[in-house]
Amino acid sequence: MADHSIVAVFGSMNMDLSVACERMPRAGETVGGSGFITNAGGKGANQAVAAARMGAHTCMIGAVGRDTFGDVLVAGLQDAGVGVEFVTRLDGVETGTATIIRCESDNRIVLSPGANHALAGEDVARALRRLVADELDGDAREIAPAAGSVFIAQGECDLMATAAALSCAHELGFYTIFNPAPACDLPAGAWPAVDLVCPNETECQVLTGILPTDDASCVAALNALLDKGAGTAVITLGDTGSVALGDDGELLRMPALSCAVVDTTAAGDTFIGALAAARLEGLPLFECMAAGARASAVTVSRLGAQQSIPTRAEVERVFDLDDLVQDGEAE
């Protein structure tokens, strides 16, 4: 299966519409703005782009409206090398958007999910089965036809569809990654289908009631995530890196890498996409975290969402993976 291994992503596709102003408008007030930009975004699409730019054979499962924004988002995925055969174009529903008002450090965001909530679990399952059959040249009779492949889902699509998709992917043999962003909990019965859960610190607090701030709270939070039924857990901690538990239960810390921070918008998505691509290569978890750390470090040095996500060659020009893994700490 190694030659057929893929990263399949079920998730959101949004067009970000962003404008800056000197102060937030009051009710009924119009204020002047500047610096209007549009960015291709959505956590699912961002993660797919990151995996593809790291060299992984990647496929997107999602939905957009039959409109201009949908055209642009699909074209952007194709340009990044992401397969779009299973991106559904829908009539009568708009492409997802995020309208962002930027005022110094105070951002206000209005998210309209649109087509992102249109797909049901059975739609995703059908796409996964078709995808696996295609990769096997029509022979999907093996016990774990997707063994060696990776499936990623987040919290920006319908939650029941996401739970069903994770269960189907797990049954097919995918290594499943769940990124609960924005913070959301799965139905209890869906957690055993999650091989790796990867929240940030605030999402972790929502899921477990524990804010991971020091070694003890990180260990407690990671164990609480495992108690839900997930196979493995990684928590991203912004500028302090990421943590996981080793085979003996010891805390493993992957440090964040030093870069001039310009925009952190797609950092978490880049981390997950790069981690998935490294997993596709058969690397152990700690080295997958290292791959995520160096890719996300390059991302934060650039402005924007998908356009800030680097290629593998760009990352390798900045960081050496072997040095990064040696710098990691096991505590």
Side-chain angles (χ1 to χ4, degrees):
M1 276 297 297
D3 292 340
H4 300 284
S5 297
I6 58 174
V7 174
V9 182
F10 168 52
S12 55
M13 299 174 63
N14 293 328
M15 180 60 75
D16 296 345
L17 313 173
S18 178
V19 65
C21 57
E22 292 185 359
R23 62 177 179 82
M24 291 295 174
R26 295 185 289 269
E29 182 185 20
T30 299
V31 299
S34 62
F36 177 78
I37 56 175
T38 60
N39 283 319
K43 297 193 72 63
N46 293 346
Q47 290 168 15
V49 168
R53 288 185 178 159
M54 290 301 108
H57 178 189
T58 306
C59 178
M60 183 74 195
I61 303 171
V64 294
R66 202 175 295 277
D67 51 32
T68 300
F69 288 161
D71 294 340
V72 172
L73 294 179
V74 171
L77 290 178
Q78 290 177 307
D79 288 346
V82 177
V84 297
E85 178 184 357
F86 299 104
V87 175
T88 304
R89 306 297 300 268
L90 297 172
D91 293 311
V93 60
E94 76 280 2
T95 297
T97 59
T99 303
I100 306 164
I101 301 175
R102 314 187 314 269
C103 182
E104 295 181 350
S105 61
D106 184 10
N107 290 348
R108 309 286 174 90
I109 302 174
V110 178
L111 182 65
S112 176
N116 290 320
H117 281 196
L119 296 186
E122 60 202 43
D123 299 316
V124 185
R126 189 179 306 113
L128 286 170
R129 293 190 183 99
R130 166 77 183 284
L131 181 59
V132 168
D134 287 350
E135 291 301 314
L136 291 174
D137 297 325
D139 182 3
R141 294 172 294 176
E142 299 179 23
I143 293 175
S149 293
V150 178
F151 175 77
I152 308 175
Q154 324 78 33
E156 289 188 332
C157 293
D158 178 80
L159 191 58
M160 297 309 295
T162 299
L166 285 163
S167 295
C168 176
H170 192 263
E171 290 172 3
L172 287 171
F174 284 89
Y175 181 86
T176 57
I177 299 175
F178 176 51
N179 171 220
C184 57
D185 203 349
L186 292 171
W191 277 104
V194 177
D195 292 309
L196 169 64
V197 59
C198 187
N200 66 19
E201 62 265 56
T202 55
E203 292 152 2
C204 175
Q205 184 177 28
V206 172
L207 285 172
T208 68
I210 302 168
L211 181 64
T213 56
D214 55 20
D215 287 0
S217 58
C218 284
V219 170
L222 288 162
N223 280 313
L225 291 168
L226 299 185
D227 288 343
K228 286 180 171 292
T232 309
V234 172
I235 304 171
T236 58
L237 303 170
D239 60 6
T240 59
S242 60
V243 291
L245 294 177
D247 292 337
D248 297 329
E250 77 276 17
L251 184 67
L252 302 177
R253 281 191 177 272
M254 176 54 57
L257 300 178
S258 178
C259 270
V261 177
V262 174
D263 184 357
T264 63
T265 300
D269 295 333
T270 301
F271 179 93
I272 290 172
L275 182 152
R279 169 73 193 190
L280 208 67
E281 297 176 14
L283 297 179
L285 180 61
F286 194 61
E287 293 187 30
C288 292
M289 293 164 63
R294 60 181 189 155
S296 58
V298 177
T299 294
V300 301
S301 69
R302 303 170 171 180
L303 182 66
Q306 283 175 28
Q307 67 265 42
S308 72
I309 299 172
T311 64
R312 183 173 188 143
E314 289 173 327
V315 172
E316 289 175 347
R317 282 199 291 269
V318 179
F319 297 110
D320 180 87
L321 179 59
D322 291 335
D323 290 344
L324 177 57
V325 171
Q326 291 169 9
D327 287 343
E329 302 174 9
E331 300 180 354

